[in-house]
Amino acid sequence: KKKTVSFSTMPNDRKINSTAACISFMLEGCELKKVRSNSRMYSRFFVLDADMRSVRWEPSKKDSEKAKIEIKSVKEVRVGKKTPVLRSNGLSDQFPDECAFSIIYGDNYESLDLVASSADVVSAWVMGLRYLVSYGKHTPEAPGTGHPSLRTSWISSVFDLADLEKSGRIPVSRAVQLIKALNPGMKTSTIELKFKELQKASERPGAEVACDLFVEAYCELCTRPEIFFLLVQFSSNKEYLGLKDLLMFLEVEQGMEGVTEEKCLEIVGKYEPSKEGREKGYLAIDGFTRYLLSADCSIFDPQHRKVCQDMAQPLSHYYISSAHSACLLEDNFWGRSDISGYISALGLGCRSIELVLWDGPEGEPVVYTSPSAASCVPFRAVVGLIDQHAFTASAYPLILCLVVRCSAPQQRLAAQCLRKTLGEKLYLEPPNPAASYLPSPEQLKGRILIKGKKLPPGCEDSEGEVSDEEEGRELARRLGQEEREVPDTGGPRRLRLSRELSELVSLCQAIPFQDFESSRRGQRYWEMCSFSEVEAGRFANECPAELVSYNKRFLSRVYPSPMRIDASNMNPQDFWKCGCQMVAMNYQTPGLMMDLNAGWFRQNGACGYVLRPAIMREEVSYFSANAKDSLPGVPAQLLHLKVISGQNLPKPKGSGAKGEVVEPYVCAEIHGIPADCAEHRTKTALQSGDNPIFDESLEFQINLPELAVLRFVVLDDDYIGDEFIAQYTIPFECLQPGYRHVPLQSLAGEPLPHATLFVHVAITDRRGGGKGHRRGLAGRRGRRVREYTSTKATGIKAIDEVFRTATQPLREATDLRENVQNALVSFKELCGLTPAANMKQCILTVAAWLLHSDSSPSVTLNLAEKYPPMEAQGPIPDLLRKVLTAYETMIQTSRTLIESADAVYSKLIQAQQAGMDFHKELHRIEAKEGLRGRKLQKALESFAWNITVLKGQADLLKHAKTEALDNLWQIHNAGQSCGIGRNGSASPEPSRLRALLEPIPE
């Protein structure tokens, strides 16, 4: 008879919430597919013997005594396609990774490869087998023993406190509230249903419940199988995590460095609910769940919750959070103006606000953007509010973009109001003509800049004419206010501007844009242009390189098309990829575009400023905003995302006619440069209640990580009227690796209480081996012809000769890195680990095999040497021999890299610096060589490409050396902690091993 197990929360479904339940399931047995080395699969019925000493299968051509595996012979249980048989091409697409598992057994490390009907079945078998391998049948939680667990004792003590009458029973209503208090977010109806179900099953109906029934209800309702499975993986005794278990979990899975037992004890003290657990340093399932749900374990890297980027770069090197029509509460045409819009925008860290000034009815200027505005806002009130709230969310400079549509007398009143109210906050110092770039946000802290038109230097009068900005003209056309302007004489439209208002403009002088060549030759660094969404979009598509280059020195502002009368938003990524600093958003309109904007500006302490990628800031660099593949000098990353489960998902707001049950699925979207934009979705979780299990792996290639944003969207597949359930948007650079909870938000960006997604995040290099940028995880092997990055000919002999000297060092750098990467991947595959495994996991895995051997360990690590050899003591099985060979290759390639990197690095930097020596003379040399037109453009592109490639490859080599040293440190550390190391003194200091090469100047 075929049996299945479900982890869903539906009342009638079986639920695995303890190792005892796993073993019971295995004792009943179920059908699994057995995979042979020829890639053929056979359905067999697998069952755990009643004495719990063997796993058998039938039918089989073998003798019944041979169609079994003894538990004591099992070395390891692997989840996923982790053996050569399961990884073979013939099988890779026939079943998902989460439905496969392997049992490694016997002195020759043979593998029994199995495929289950679902991930739930895999989890039950793997949990049960790992438990039996560790403890055999004589275990505290084995079925039939009456020893109370740490958890049962705690729940019973909670019940005793609630049993005010000390009668051994409490009212059902009190029991429901108690469980709700212990598990916030769980529905009252779900708890009540569970009590009714258990009372009926035990034939004890009534208005009260006894302690045993309360404990059973709590365990069934509050045990999350996916977290229980995780605990069993790392727990020494399969019931709770000791301090060493927790330390291992934090280092190996969560990517935390420098974790101590004291830190683990602090976590236990903070999250473990039972007094006994806190005293003994044990983290049981409830404490572990609380920890994983806490802010300490959030997917968002806590380093980014405060300002963490260099704030001393020129202002033009940052993206600046910008608002358009912040005073509007609804759309651009019929919307009401209200002062609260400014408070909201400033509170979210907005650093650029648009103010459209019109003549007010009582001689005072007013602010509004719509002819049908139900109310306009007095300019004086807006300025007073800005004075109060300008720096509550961020200390960095605020830019007020003035669009002036009022008469000169009212402009004077506006200028007086700004001076009087803002006082010393106003930045009025004239720009320094000797400088080349704008001051930095750090230098402008606490200051307010006025962006607007300025009278020409020769004008001595109290007012004069200036050209109108395109944005102002569009506003006037839309609002039917053209008659207030100077009549059109065929040239650009003109406006009257008062001297008082003109004098307030210093570092952000608005000028009309002509073309990129004119800007390169004549625009001064304190002058800036505004582009309509349509115009900026055209430049981004037709000449992205020029727009990127323009934005290195000058600020640019992009405002929405006047056709967006519903106040919808443009996609800010379309303009960020070209370096546009200020993309003005309608903050009052929620949706995808505002999610991207809000998520993006969280990454630097939500201060409203985000440093642009180095490749978009450096004076000489090659960057194509519309690249379809990886960029020179920027290491592409792979994001491995496993969406495991959802918790307390609400039903869509607009689906009033629908019942309580949702059928959710998760979309994961990457937004960034065109090469990175992608979307993958999970399967739909059918009839899953509020806590669906997805258990699905997704993968994305990220070519420019610094500009990528990940957005989770939860949708209802069986919706009426509205499918949207929740979303969360996070910059790629803020992702923390490991098991994390995603705090879901509403469409408007408000937190949804207790609604989360449980995910696993791993970031690896695209071509395998080595760590992902910034937080290292290993990647998969690229079985391909090795590709070498090379320089390009500029057509100028002297320059090309300099770059030609880098040809050999470029090849050497690639070989050094990729030899180590390939060796790392081979070693990890033989250890049966994922691309996301680190070196410590590999050593611990080998040690675990040896410790499960009947004989004493046959392999040791000689920690007396800087590059520790792994030595066999006597004969060893074939698999271990292969592992040793792969380890030796990995150590030797790492040694070659570490000892050769400095010399190759120096050659690359010398070639880059020699090339940069030509930069200032480049235009003179080009003229001398007679280059013009397309040939000139090609020469400039090739020069920038070469400089970028040399710097990028030098950076990658530096990173690879640091990582190789880190791997050595992990080998020493793991060798000592797991008992296979010998001759080990204290492991080398990580700071000494991880010493970086000299940084490369920008």
Side-chain angles (χ1 to χ4, degrees):
K1 184 183 175 184
K2 184 176 177 181
K3 309 267 186 187
T4 59
V5 62
S6 171
F7 285 156
S8 88
T9 53
M10 296 303 287
N12 297 323
D13 281 350
R14 179 171 185 172
K15 182 162 179 173
I16 299 292
N17 56 25
S18 68
T19 41
C22 294
I23 291 166
S24 295
F25 173 70
M26 292 163 65
L27 287 164
E28 292 174 18
C30 75
E31 191 175 283
L32 299 170
K33 285 188 170 65
K34 185 169 177 275
V35 185
R36 290 199 179 160
S37 55
N38 60 7
S39 296
R40 297 186 68 179
M41 294 196 288
Y42 300 88
S43 287
R44 298 287 182 263
F45 188 81
F46 283 76
V47 66
L48 176 67
D49 271 356
D51 63 4
M52 292 186 277
R53 289 180 180 168
S54 304
V55 172
R56 298 179 181 274
W57 60 92
E58 56 185 34
S60 172
K61 291 178 182 176
K62 295 180 181 176
D63 180 88
S64 62
E65 282 305 302
K66 290 183 179 178
K68 71 172 187 178
I69 291 176
E70 291 189 351
I71 296 294
K72 68 179 183 182
S73 74
V74 175
K75 308 290 186 191
E76 185 190 1
V77 185
R78 298 179 184 174
V79 185
K81 302 171 189 174
K82 303 281 176 53
T83 62
V85 171
L86 289 177
R87 271 197 294 260
S88 68
N89 291 331
L91 288 172
S92 57
D93 297 327
Q94 289 188 32
F95 49 86
D97 191 69
E98 54 268 18
C99 286
F101 70 106
S102 302
I103 302 171
I104 312 298
Y105 66 98
D107 292 337
N108 291 322
Y109 293 81
E110 297 171 70
S111 72
L112 174 64
D113 299 301
L114 302 168
V115 178
S117 57
S118 72
D120 308 341
V121 176
V122 171
S123 297
W125 275 96
V126 171
M127 272 194 275
L129 284 168
R130 283 177 176 169
Y131 187 68
L132 291 170
V133 167
S134 296
Y135 280 90
K137 67 170 185 172
H138 301 294
T139 62
E141 259 201 67
T145 60
H147 182 78
S149 70
L150 190 72
R151 185 187 202 195
T152 306
S153 301
W154 166 67
I155 302 166
S156 300
S157 70
V158 171
F159 179 89
D160 291 341
L161 287 172
D163 182 11
L164 304 175
E165 297 79 19
K166 303 304 172 193
S167 63
R169 303 176 71 81
I170 62 173
V172 171
S173 58
R174 193 184 303 166
V176 169
Q177 290 307 312
L178 200 52
I179 288 182
K180 197 169 171 64
L182 292 170
N183 196 350
M186 186 171 286
K187 289 179 180 174
T188 303
S189 58
T190 306
I191 306 171
E192 289 171 343
L193 188 63
K194 177 56 66 179
F195 277 120
K196 284 179 185 174
E197 177 195 325
L198 293 176
Q199 284 179 322
K200 184 179 178 183
S202 62
E203 298 181 350
R204 288 187 286 174
E208 292 185 322
V209 293
C211 183
D212 62 329
L213 198 135
F214 178 80
V215 170
E216 189 179 354
Y218 178 88
C219 289
E220 289 202 18
L221 286 167
C222 302
T223 304
R224 286 177 48 190
E226 71 276 22
I227 292 182
F228 180 70
F229 184 39
L230 191 57
L231 181 138
V232 169
Q233 275 182 272
F234 283 87
S235 169
S236 303
N237 75 347
K238 312 304 174 198
E239 189 194 341
Y240 53 76
L241 296 173
L243 295 181
K244 282 188 166 58
D245 300 331
L246 181 56
L247 190 146
M248 190 65 60
F249 171 73
L250 296 176
E251 282 191 344
V252 167
E253 276 301 344
Q254 304 300 86
M256 290 171 66
E257 294 185 350
V259 187
T260 60
E261 286 198 11
E262 288 73 24
K263 173 66 180 172
C264 294
L265 198 57
E266 187 185 310
I267 290 171
V268 172
K270 189 173 178 182
Y271 296 105
E272 174 54 38
S274 71
K275 185 180 178 184
E276 183 188 353
R278 291 195 298 273
E279 288 171 352
K280 293 182 176 178
Y282 297 159
L283 193 66
I285 181 68
D286 298 288
F288 190 42
T289 304
R290 288 181 183 189
Y291 171 62
L292 288 173
L293 278 165
S294 72
D296 289 346
C297 219
S298 168
I299 192 171
F300 191 93
D301 189 338
Q303 290 183 9
H304 289 270
R305 296 193 189 282
K306 54 185 183 296
V307 175
C308 56
Q309 296 177 345
D310 176 10
M311 300 304 285
Q313 300 273 340
L315 207 61
S316 59
H317 286 183
Y318 297 84
Y319 297 111
I320 303 172
S321 180
S322 305
H324 177 74
S325 307
C327 64
L328 283 187
L329 297 183
E330 297 154 42
D331 62 61
N332 279 342
F333 204 77
W334 299 108
R336 292 178 297 110
S337 297
D338 188 278
I339 208 160
S340 64
Y342 293 107
I343 300 174
S344 173
L346 290 169
L348 291 169
C350 178
R351 296 289 82 196
S352 168
I353 283 181
E354 177 193 56
L355 300 177
V356 186
L357 275 58
W358 299 91
D359 282 334
E362 297 173 10
E364 292 253 354
V366 294
V367 174
Y368 68 92
T369 53
S370 156
S372 306
S375 59
C376 54
V377 183
F379 180 70
R380 192 176 299 278
V382 174
V383 175
L385 181 141
I386 288 169
D387 182 50
Q388 286 177 37
H389 298 276
F391 301 106
T392 52
S394 170
Y396 292 100
L398 174 66
I399 301 171
L400 300 183
C401 301
L402 299 187
V403 180
V404 179
R405 314 310 302 162
C406 60
S407 60
Q410 293 207 14
Q411 289 175 32
R412 291 188 194 98
L413 290 174
Q416 290 163 16
C417 175
L418 286 165
R419 278 184 185 272
K420 183 180 177 183
T421 309
L422 302 179
E424 292 190 357
K425 293 190 183 93
L426 268 184
Y427 186 89
L428 301 174
E429 297 165 33
N432 177 8
S436 300
Y437 287 92
L438 288 161
S440 69
E442 191 62 41
Q443 291 170 304
L444 296 169
K445 248 183 173 178
R447 306 304 290 272
I448 294 175
L449 312 181
I450 304 295
K451 178 234 168 201
K453 303 297 285 187
K454 202 164 176 67
L455 290 173
C459 179
E460 301 289 336
D461 300 331
S462 62
E463 59 183 70
E465 283 190 5
V466 292
S467 61
D468 191 7
E469 282 192 86
E470 181 62 30
E471 186 173 7
R473 292 204 298 276
E474 287 180 351
L475 263 173
R477 281 197 295 273
R478 196 175 79 216
L479 306 182
Q481 302 281 352
E482 287 96 332
E483 67 276 6
R484 295 190 182 175
E485 299 170 20
V486 177
D488 191 355
T489 55
R493 299 182 73 85
R494 313 290 290 175
L495 281 177
R496 300 295 295 176
L497 180 67
S498 76
R499 174 166 296 282
E500 287 92 330
L501 205 54
S502 170
E503 287 173 349
L504 299 184
V505 178
S506 170
L507 294 178
C508 297
Q509 182 180 337
I511 62 166
F513 179 77
Q514 293 176 327
D515 56 65
F516 291 114
E517 184 57 30
S518 301
S519 295
R520 190 171 73 84
R521 294 186 184 282
Q523 189 170 334
R524 294 168 295 189
Y525 72 83
W526 61 84
E527 295 173 333
M528 65 175 286
C529 299
S530 290
F531 301 93
S532 74
E533 171 190 352
V534 175
E535 186 181 26
R538 181 164 54 81
F539 291 146
N541 288 324
E542 294 176 6
C543 42
E546 284 95 325
L547 189 52
V548 170
S549 181
Y550 172 87
N551 286 319
K552 288 178 183 177
R553 278 193 67 205
F554 309 116
L555 285 176
S556 63
R557 179 173 181 273
V558 181
Y559 57 89
S561 162
M563 301 304 289
R564 293 184 182 273
I565 59 171
D566 59 351
S568 59
N569 277 304
M570 51 193 165
N571 187 343
Q573 285 277 2
D574 290 344
F575 309 105
W576 289 339
K577 71 180 183 183
C578 294
C580 296
Q581 298 88 349
M582 300 159 70
V583 182
M585 304 293 286
N586 289 306
Y587 272 57
Q588 72 275 25
T589 309
L592 165 62
M593 304 314 173
M594 263 315 290
D595 291 345
L596 294 177
N597 191 76
W600 178 252
F601 283 104
R602 280 194 201 109
Q603 68 183 286
N604 191 26
C607 74
Y609 285 83
V610 169
L611 189 63
R612 294 187 311 174
I615 200 169
M616 297 171 73
R617 303 192 313 265
E618 289 157 355
E619 192 175 354
V620 181
S621 64
Y622 179 89
F623 173 69
S624 172
N626 294 325
K628 296 290 189 286
D629 198 0
S630 57
L631 301 162
V634 179
Q637 308 285 297
L638 273 181
L639 170 62
H640 309 265
L641 183 67
K642 186 171 187 179
V643 182
I644 302 167
S645 61
Q647 291 74 46
N648 304 312
L649 299 181
K651 69 173 187 174
K653 271 191 173 178
S655 60
K658 197 171 151 26
E660 287 300 308
V661 178
V662 295
E663 296 189 346
Y665 64 96
V666 179
C667 270
E669 307 165 351
I670 293 289
H671 299 266
I673 60 171
D676 292 343
C677 291
E679 177 183 320
H680 296 309
R681 59 158 285 176
T682 67
K683 61 182 178 290
T684 300
L686 301 171
Q687 298 294 312
S688 60
D690 306 327
N691 304 294
I693 296 283
F694 301 104
D695 220 359
E696 198 149 345
S697 299
L698 313 173
E699 193 175 279
F700 298 90
Q701 179 172 313
I702 316 291
N703 295 288
L704 185 55
E706 289 174 280
L707 209 59
V709 175
L710 170 64
R711 182 174 185 254
F712 295 95
V713 194
V714 187
L715 300 167
D716 186 1
D717 211 5
D718 182 32
Y719 66 95
I720 298 173
D722 182 14
E723 62 178 341
F724 179 87
I725 295 172
Q727 63 85 24
Y728 182 74
T729 308
I730 179 171
F732 181 83
E733 294 285 285
C734 297
L735 286 171
Q736 286 212 96
Y739 288 93
R740 305 288 173 183
H741 279 91
V742 179
L744 294 172
Q745 299 177 340
S746 69
L747 190 64
E750 296 154 352
L752 293 169
H754 313 300
T756 54
L757 288 177
F758 187 44
V759 301
H760 182 266
V761 176
I763 299 166
T764 69
D765 289 342
R766 181 181 64 164
R767 289 178 181 166
K771 295 186 174 183
H773 172 65
R774 197 171 59 82
R775 56 189 148 268
L777 298 165
R780 67 177 49 179
R781 172 158 36 196
R783 293 176 173 83
R784 72 203 197 302
V785 175
R786 185 164 293 179
E787 297 169 4
Y788 293 98
T789 306
S790 59
T791 55
K792 294 181 178 180
T794 62
I796 301 168
K797 188 177 179 183
I799 295 176
D800 286 341
E801 282 177 1
V802 166
F803 287 132
R804 209 169 287 125
T805 63
T807 303
Q808 189 56 31
L810 281 172
R811 290 183 70 89
E812 288 174 15
T814 302
D815 286 339
L816 287 170
R817 286 189 298 105
E818 298 216 358
N819 288 345
V820 172
Q821 287 175 355
N822 291 338
L824 273 169
V825 171
S826 295
F827 181 51
K828 286 173 187 177
E829 283 189 353
L830 283 166
C831 290
L833 294 171
T834 65
N838 59 30
M839 187 52 60
K840 190 167 187 176
Q841 276 175 287
C842 296
I843 303 301
L844 294 174
T845 299
V846 174
W849 294 348
L850 299 170
L851 294 174
H852 284 136
S853 257
D854 291 333
S855 55
S856 59
S858 53
V859 172
T860 57
L861 270 173
N862 185 355
L863 300 180
E865 298 189 29
K866 183 182 176 184
Y867 302 96
M870 194 179 276
E871 298 162 344
Q873 314 297 317
I876 57 173
D878 187 48
L879 175 65
L880 266 183
R881 176 73 58 197
K882 287 179 181 175
V883 168
L884 260 63
T885 304
Y887 175 85
E888 181 63 23
T889 305
M890 186 264 299
I891 284 289
Q892 290 308 320
T893 53
S894 297
R895 180 175 189 162
T896 306
L897 167 67
I898 290 165
E899 294 176 354
S900 309
D902 288 18
V904 177
Y905 175 91
S906 295
K907 290 176 188 174
L908 291 172
I909 291 303
Q910 284 169 11
Q912 188 224 12
Q913 289 172 346
M916 284 301 290
D917 289 342
F918 284 104
H919 177 241
K920 289 181 181 175
E921 300 293 312
L922 202 55
H923 285 287
R924 183 185 62 77
I925 297 169
E926 287 157 357
K928 184 180 173 184
E929 295 279 335
L931 295 176
R932 55 176 61 88
R934 179 70 190 132
K935 283 188 177 178
L936 174 60
Q937 188 182 347
K938 190 73 178 168
L940 290 171
E941 271 186 18
S942 296
F943 183 83
W945 167 278
N946 294 345
I947 294 294
T948 306
V949 160
L950 291 172
K951 180 187 181 305
Q953 293 299 310
D955 271 345
L956 289 174
L957 187 59
K958 176 178 71 171
H959 178 65
K961 179 184 174 182
T962 306
E963 184 190 309
L965 290 167
D966 184 73
N967 281 337
L968 288 182
W969 177 79
Q970 287 189 44
I971 290 169
H972 275 89
N973 188 290
Q976 284 186 324
S977 67
C978 69
I980 65 167
R982 62 182 177 85
N983 303 330
S985 55
S987 63
E989 285 296 316
S991 56
R992 182 161 65 81
L993 271 177
R994 301 175 194 182
L996 293 171
L997 297 164
E998 284 298 307
I1000 302 168
E1002 288 188 8

